[in-house]
Amino acid sequence: MRLDVVTIFPEYLEPLNVSLVGKARARGQLGVHVHDLREWTYDRHNTVDDTPYGGGPGMVMKTGPWGDALDTVLADGYESGAHAPTLVVPTPSGRPFTQELAVELSERPWLIFTPARYEGIDRRVMDEYATRVDVLEVSIGDYVLAGGEAAVLVITEAVARLLPGVLGNAESHRDDSFAPGAMAGLLEGPVYTKPPEWRGRDIPDVLLSGHHGRIARWRRDEALKRTAAHRPDLIERCDPRAFDKKDRETLFILGWAPDPAGEPYGRFWRRPDAVEQ
Ligand code: ADE
């Protein structure tokens, strides 16, 4: 996979040299190219922004530098054999970044990130490139960052670990929170490693039992508990057919019940009579 990032703070992307992404780069699984947007400014002050039409606070990033930068990055990439670019535009008004979107992006051959500062990029830039390449506006959460660079790091890390051969153990994705499969839609529960006792704290006996069925059951119960506590919206969204008898018992104890109006496929809701956990 090829990644290009165009930014006014190339040094902000230094973390792409370390850890998992850095290693994937070193191994040639990922080609990363960081570009300084100011290379495509031609005035004394290397201006990349201007006041917004219609008034209002803040500044807007200008069309000129972005257009010239993206033309160059696209031409260079195509010349070196890359194809089917996707422009990924981090913005709080984008589509929410999820594990599903990370999987989708990990299957694309070439991502070009355009992290913005200030109030964002003049709309015409994305309208223009949308006529030529896929443009995806993506938000990493319901909060406003000072710029999109941190979002690029987040998206890149989530995508890179999904590339074939990047994580040592291919099984490591299997139980990820949000991964499809047996635990679909549930958060991962707690994990433990050696020593078996630390500051008087033991690890749950079941994990030492060697009984795979019981361990899987325990992990699922813990996942249900954690999801119910931290992300009740995910329990509500789960297809209730995915819950077995024991799941239903656990959920009931946690204060959940199928919506009586929706039986037999009623989604689970917090029982109105349930005490706060
Ligand atoms: N830029 C500023 N805030 C952002 C957010 N929440 N997600 C993506 N890009 C951003």
Side-chain angles (χ1 to χ4, degrees), residues 89-94 116 138-149 151-152 155:
V89 186
T91 163
S93 56
V138 179
S139 165
I140 62 160
D142 292 343
Y143 39 77
V144 179
L145 302 166
E149 285 77 6
V152 173
I155 297 168

Side-chain angles (χ1 to χ4, degrees), residues 236 238-243 248 258-269:
E236 286 172 14
C238 272
D239 181 341
R241 286 170 291 190
F243 295 136
R248 287 164 184 273
D259 176 9
E263 286 280 21
Y265 295 130
R267 301 208 168 234
F268 276 69
W269 300 88

Side-chain angles (χ1 to χ4, degrees), residues 75-97:
D76 286 354
Y78 284 126
E79 215 168 281
S80 59
H83 65 284
T86 303
L87 233 56
V88 183
V89 186
T91 163
S93 56
R95 157 178 170 191
F97 186 60

